[in-house]
Amino acid sequence: MDNIYLYMIIALALLAVADLVVGVSNDAVNFLNSAIGSKAISFRTIMIVASVGVAVGAVFSSGMMEVARKGIFNPSEFMFNEIMIIFMAVMITDILLLDFFNTIGMPTSTTVSIVFELLGAAVAMALIKIGHDGGDFSDVINYINTSKASQIIFGILLSVVVAFSIGALVQWVSRLLLSYNFEKKAAWVGALFGGVALTAITYFIFMKGLKGTSYAKQSFDILNGGTMKDFLEAQVLPIVLVSSVFWSLLSYAIIAFLKTNIYKLIIIIGTFALALAFAGNDLVNFIGVPVAAFNAFTEWTASGVSATSFPMDVLAEKVPTNNWLLFGAGMIMVLTLWFSTKAKGVVKTSLDLSSQSETKERFQPNFLSRGFVRSAMGMSQMSSYILPESWQAKIEKQFEAPVIKLSRDKVHELPSFDLVRAAVNLMVAAVLISIATSYKLPLSTTYVTFMVAMGTSLADRAWGAESAVYRVAGVLNVIGGWFFTAFSAFAAAALVAYLLNLNLPIMFPLLLVVAFALLIRNYISHNKKSKEVKAEDSLVRAESSSVQGVIHESANNIANVVKRTNRIYSNSIVGLARQDLALLKKSKKQVLKLADEVDDLRDNVFYFIKNLDESSVGASDFYINILGYLQDMTQSLEYISKISYKHVNNNHKKLKFSQIKELKEIDDKLENLFEDTRVAFNSESFEQIGAILDERTEVYKLVKEKIKKQVARTRTEESSPKNTTLYFSVLLETKDLIKAAMNLLEEYHNSFDSSVEPATITVVDEIIESSEPSKPEEPSEPSEQE
């Protein structure tokens, strides 16, 4: 039985490595956000600066390991076997929780997760002990450091509000003083801003980055034997004043004589500072628990006492962490920073929500976001009545964003925000975290950096009428995720601790296998999604300014749509024939993805038309028509896949063999038609389109014939209303699908060959307008859980 604790130590070491990876993926947003968003320096330079900060911070983090040992619970109240269960439960829960947030691209707090996991596991073990000893529920307070947990909850609420408010205020004042033409301001203006920003950041490096390290405990003669940390906390005003003067003069020299952009320097130093503080103080969140477990294990093995009788008083003592261990952890963090695609996904969420330009909105508006936006608009109108018009005009002028020529450079390659906002983000985050650290208030760096970025976005008018409800909804989603982190971390860790306590030899390997299996599954799923985003089938925006240019640029899009349409339609028919719910569900997802991509192209029409010169306006008509036909095709596919899935999911009768055979016959014809179309567009052999258009009459006649057959069957032999409705719906929607595809081809055919007069699709219209049963409405049924 004693050997199991050795295996647990090995498992905790492996979990520590995995936790480092998922932890850095989550927290990279804290220090990469401003530099990447502003594009002040190259991505490679950003990563090098951040990597150096992380590596240095990791080596300096030794003193912070005490949090995992005694910060949340009283170790003397637990025996060695109980402590090992607590630590194992914490690590299993932490790695799964953080990986979940990384997979969905949402930033959360590693500090809050580890604290509430320790709290949840410790409470579970305390209740088990109390129940075993016949104690009272109120005895839990003897085991848990309740004041610390209360402080952290209060810190969460306070940091969210304060960081957002201060970020918005400082950004508003900064923009009012500097405007968007900040680079044309006098040198002393930039020097003054640089002095304030660099003072805040450098003080942050000493106050937060070095806090808890051995260097902070070095004696300082000025304080007659006091430490450097005491000096930093006691002499705040003199340090700030001297630093401000020094950095302001240096900034002036850099601007006036070296002709260097001071804002870029602020961003570089700020990125280094936040990376240093992150690694120096948050490393405990990833390896603090395994290190504490290893210390407990070495003490227990040396004691010779049984695991159930060895108290954990030793964890209350200070134990320095091996520097080589810290260095190794730092290297893992640096490698993760460079290679983690999930880190980039978490950073993207923050940048999308704070972007000055239009982005693809990830979040849907809700009643709360709409309410906040309406309230903000009301307050804005009230302020317009209070301030004189001359003041309002001056303020508006300072907030007037420069007009950026939307050339053929891709819109998404523009920076998310300018250098002033990036510098304010770093400066305000550094000040707030430094203040909280000096007052020993628990604070999450993730919460502060994220909310500051959101506050500056609001003040900078990045959340305009076009995007406000989406951005606010996104912020509310992220904040809701933070509270979910606390609740789920507590509950999940408590549950895992309870399961481990039931039967440690069985539950320990079982839960470990489950944890790693989920990690591998999430990794494979994330890679699959990443590949899908980069897949060759993805649609790309047109950027040409002539009809012929758009024809050639869009050819690949049309080939991809036709290829995917063919696959989705065939899967729907096969799924109906086999009653294959999984295949039909897959078709639904595929058509939704295709519809989203077509919608993205339509959303880009504004920028496409902006790019056109006067002589090329005709390209806009062609492009808009093409997108309209693509949308018609996806709508038909969406309807077919939806009703097919619903029919099978509701366990209605299968289609008759004759119906399936007829649908398969149509599918075969369409497959040939779509394949010929795909080949023509892939090879850009547009002269072949005329021959493909000649085939349409045969396909339409086939569909018309099947509709007539079903009408006859319905009158004589058909007994299932559901089958009849489904079959007619599929046939009529197939006809609409073919019509949209043929209209698309006709548009290309007429536009490519300028000698051909614009024509109407007489054959199509003749068949469509012939008297046929109208499309039946989908029967009203209770919505099912999917």
Side-chain angles (χ1 to χ4, degrees):
M1 176 68 180
D2 288 351
N3 286 338
I4 196 170
Y5 298 112
L6 175 61
Y7 298 142
M8 289 177 79
I9 292 295
I10 296 170
L12 284 169
L14 295 174
L15 287 170
V17 173
D19 207 28
L20 277 169
V21 173
V22 296
V24 174
S25 297
N26 176 81
D27 281 7
V29 67
N30 297 350
F31 48 88
L32 295 180
N33 177 49
S34 296
I36 293 176
S38 64
K39 301 199 172 179
I41 49 180
S42 68
F43 182 76
R44 183 182 178 82
T45 305
I46 293 169
M47 295 299 287
I48 291 171
V49 170
S51 299
V52 173
V54 167
V56 174
V59 175
F60 283 171
S61 67
S62 176
M64 298 302 293
M65 295 298 162
E66 305 300 321
V67 176
R69 300 161 61 87
K70 58 182 180 180
I72 306 303
F73 57 84
N74 301 319
S76 58
E77 297 293 330
F78 295 96
M79 299 300 161
F80 172 70
N81 65 314
E82 296 161 346
I83 282 290
M84 290 300 290
I85 288 174
I86 290 173
F87 286 160
M88 182 58 66
V90 166
M91 291 303 292
I92 289 175
T93 305
D94 194 57
I95 196 171
L96 292 178
L97 188 65
L98 292 181
D99 189 64
F100 167 74
F101 275 94
N102 293 344
T103 302
I104 62 175
M106 298 274 276
T108 191
S109 171
T110 52
T111 303
V112 169
S113 65
I114 199 74
V115 165
F116 277 89
E117 283 152 6
L118 283 166
L119 189 62
V123 166
M125 285 307 304
L127 290 175
I128 290 169
K129 285 172 67 74
I130 291 168
H132 185 267
D133 297 339
D136 189 72
F137 181 78
S138 59
D139 294 338
V140 170
I141 200 169
N142 298 326
Y143 297 86
I144 307 302
N145 191 342
T146 51
S147 61
K148 188 73 172 180
S150 303
Q151 269 190 324
I152 289 174
I153 294 171
F154 177 73
I156 293 172
L157 298 170
L158 190 64
S159 65
V160 168
V161 177
V162 171
F164 185 85
S165 305
I166 299 296
L169 178 63
V170 174
Q171 177 61 33
W172 190 83
V173 172
S174 299
R175 187 64 72 195
L176 195 62
L177 296 174
L178 298 171
S179 78
Y180 279 95
N181 296 315
F182 54 90
E183 291 180 339
K184 297 179 181 178
K185 296 286 182 181
W188 69 268
V189 176
L192 188 61
F193 183 87
V196 174
L198 291 171
T199 297
I201 291 167
T202 50
Y203 184 75
F204 168 78
I205 291 175
F206 287 107
M207 192 66 245
K208 181 70 174 170
L210 300 182
K211 175 200 166 195
T213 69
S214 57
Y215 297 92
K217 298 180 179 66
Q218 295 294 320
S219 61
F220 215 73
D221 292 338
I222 294 177
L223 289 180
N224 299 321
T227 64
M228 184 179 180
K229 180 172 177 289
D230 296 329
F231 177 74
L232 289 171
E233 291 181 354
Q235 306 297 324
V236 175
L237 190 59
I239 292 172
V240 169
L241 289 175
V242 172
S243 298
S244 298
V245 173
F246 171 77
W247 283 116
S248 296
L249 292 174
L250 184 62
S251 298
Y252 185 83
I254 290 171
I255 297 169
F257 303 114
L258 299 180
K259 306 299 181 184
T260 301
N261 190 320
I262 192 64
Y263 300 97
K264 291 186 178 181
L265 181 63
I266 294 168
I267 291 166
I268 290 171
I269 297 176
T271 300
F272 171 82
L274 284 177
L276 172 76
F278 153 72
N281 292 272
D282 289 0
L283 185 60
V284 63
N285 301 339
F286 315 130
I287 69 168
V289 167
V291 168
F294 180 73
N295 291 338
F297 178 76
T298 54
E299 293 292 333
W300 169 69
T301 51
S303 70
V305 181
S306 70
T308 56
S309 307
F310 186 66
M312 283 287 96
D313 305 76
V314 67
L315 290 183
E317 300 171 7
K318 288 186 178 292
V319 179
T321 308
N322 186 286
N323 285 331
W324 285 108
L325 177 64
L326 295 175
F327 176 77
M331 290 303 99
I332 293 172
M333 294 166 85
V334 169
L335 290 172
T336 301
L337 201 59
W338 281 89
F339 297 109
S340 174
T341 55
K342 289 186 179 181
K344 296 181 180 76
V346 178
V347 171
K348 187 178 185 303
T349 297
S350 182
L351 291 180
D352 285 349
L353 291 175
S354 58
S355 176
Q356 194 79 31
S357 57
E358 293 294 323
T359 62
K360 182 182 178 182
E361 305 295 350
R362 284 185 49 190
F363 301 93
Q364 293 302 311
N366 52 51
F367 74 96
L368 281 175
S369 69
R370 294 188 186 100
F372 279 125
V373 171
R374 287 195 188 99
S375 301
M377 290 173 69
M379 291 170 65
S380 177
Q381 290 174 351
M382 287 174 60
S383 65
S384 66
Y385 294 123
I386 297 170
L387 293 175
E389 288 187 9
S390 58
W391 288 25
Q392 291 181 44
K394 288 179 181 178
I395 291 172
E396 288 298 320
K397 188 175 180 181
Q398 293 298 90
F399 280 86
E400 193 174 294
V403 177
I404 299 174
K405 172 66 176 171
L406 290 171
S407 65
R408 291 176 182 83
D409 292 332
K410 294 181 180 178
V411 175
H412 63 266
E413 289 181 357
L414 295 172
S416 298
F417 40 79
D418 68 354
L419 302 181
V420 169
R421 177 133 65 101
V424 169
N425 284 345
L426 293 165
M427 174 178 65
V428 174
V431 168
L432 291 178
I433 296 170
S434 298
I435 292 171
T437 301
S438 64
Y439 284 101
K440 299 180 175 61
L441 293 175
L443 204 65
S444 165
T445 52
T446 303
Y447 294 172
V448 171
T449 52
F450 180 82
M451 291 311 297
V452 166
M454 295 304 103
T456 57
S457 304
L458 176 66
D460 223 17
R461 303 185 180 180
W463 299 354
E466 303 289 334
S467 60
V469 288
Y470 304 99
R471 305 284 176 87
V472 174
V475 174
L476 292 174
N477 271 276
V478 172
I479 294 173
W482 296 344
F483 289 99
F484 173 76
T485 299
F487 172 77
S488 55
F490 182 92
L495 176 63
V496 174
Y498 172 75
L499 293 174
L500 287 170
N501 185 72
L502 283 179
N503 193 321
L504 188 60
I506 293 176
M507 297 308 297
F508 158 59
L510 180 63
L511 290 173
L512 205 60
V513 167
V514 170
F516 279 110
L518 288 172
L519 280 179
I520 294 168
R521 178 178 173 273
N522 285 348
Y523 176 78
I524 293 171
S525 174
H526 179 76
N527 273 2
K528 186 178 178 182
K529 286 180 182 177
S530 299
K531 288 175 183 175
E532 284 177 1
V533 170
K534 301 173 185 175
E536 60 178 0
D537 284 353
S538 296
L539 307 185
V540 294
R541 298 167 175 175
E543 293 173 2
S544 184
S545 59
S546 68
V547 174
Q548 295 300 317
V550 174
I551 285 174
H552 287 282
E553 279 188 3
S554 300
N556 192 49
N557 276 353
I558 303 305
N560 288 334
V561 170
V562 169
K563 174 184 172 183
R564 293 160 73 178
T565 298
N566 198 0
R567 182 171 64 238
I568 292 166
Y569 186 85
S570 293
N571 285 345
S572 297
I573 301 305
V574 172
L576 269 178
R578 297 178 182 170
Q579 295 284 93
D580 189 338
L581 197 60
L583 185 60
L584 291 172
K585 190 171 185 178
K586 182 180 177 182
S587 294
K588 274 185 69 180
K589 288 182 179 178
Q590 288 174 338
V591 75
L592 287 174
K593 185 174 183 296
L594 178 60
D596 284 343
E597 290 181 32
V598 172
D599 286 343
D600 283 346
L601 294 182
R602 288 180 70 90
D603 291 342
N604 191 55
V605 165
F606 169 81
Y607 301 104
F608 172 75
I609 295 174
K610 281 276 189 182
N611 282 342
L612 298 175
D613 51 42
E614 290 296 329
S615 62
S616 306
V617 176
S620 63
D621 289 337
F622 173 77
Y623 190 54
I624 290 168
N625 288 340
I626 291 302
L627 293 180
Y629 296 139
L630 289 178
Q631 191 168 49
D632 290 343
M633 290 174 67
T634 58
Q635 285 174 348
S636 295
L637 279 176
E638 196 171 349
Y639 186 82
I640 291 169
S641 64
K642 184 182 76 171
I643 59 172
S644 301
Y645 176 84
K646 187 175 182 178
H647 186 88
V648 175
N649 196 35
N650 285 344
N651 299 308
H652 295 318
K653 285 183 181 179
K654 286 181 66 174
L655 291 179
K656 292 184 176 180
F657 178 76
S658 57
Q659 293 172 321
I660 292 171
K661 185 178 177 183
E662 289 170 3
L663 285 176
K664 188 61 182 151
E665 190 179 342
I666 294 171
D667 182 33
D668 291 340
K669 288 284 185 184
L670 276 180
E671 190 168 349
N672 293 332
L673 189 68
F674 286 146
E675 181 60 21
D676 291 343
T677 304
R678 186 191 68 79
V679 170
F681 277 92
N682 263 344
S683 59
E684 297 190 9
S685 305
F686 300 115
E687 62 277 1
Q688 295 179 13
I689 293 176
I692 297 171
L693 285 169
D694 293 338
E695 300 175 28
R696 63 189 172 188
T697 309
E698 184 183 349
V699 180
Y700 272 110
K701 285 182 177 177
L702 181 63
V703 175
K704 184 178 178 181
E705 177 190 326
K706 303 309 177 190
I707 291 174
K708 286 182 177 179
K709 279 189 177 182
Q710 180 59 28
V711 169
R713 277 196 296 263
T714 302
R715 293 176 60 82
T716 58
E717 60 186 73
E718 188 63 72
S719 60
S720 172
K722 300 291 185 189
N723 277 18
T724 302
T725 301
L726 173 68
Y727 191 66
F728 273 133
S729 297
V730 171
L731 288 178
L732 293 172
E733 208 62 51
T734 298
K735 191 170 62 176
D736 287 350
L737 172 64
I738 299 168
K739 178 183 178 182
M742 293 304 107
N743 284 346
L744 179 71
L745 294 178
E746 190 88 30
E747 186 78 30
Y748 264 90
H749 186 252
N750 293 343
S751 298
F752 180 73
D753 187 354
S754 56
S755 65
V756 177
E757 291 293 327
T760 55
I761 310 178
T762 52
V763 178
V764 175
D765 291 339
E766 181 185 341
I767 297 174
I768 295 299
E769 291 172 7
S770 62
S771 57
E772 292 177 356
S774 59
K775 185 188 298 182
E777 292 187 4
E778 194 177 344
S780 177
E781 294 183 5
S783 60
E784 67 280 2
Q785 285 295 111
E786 296 183 10

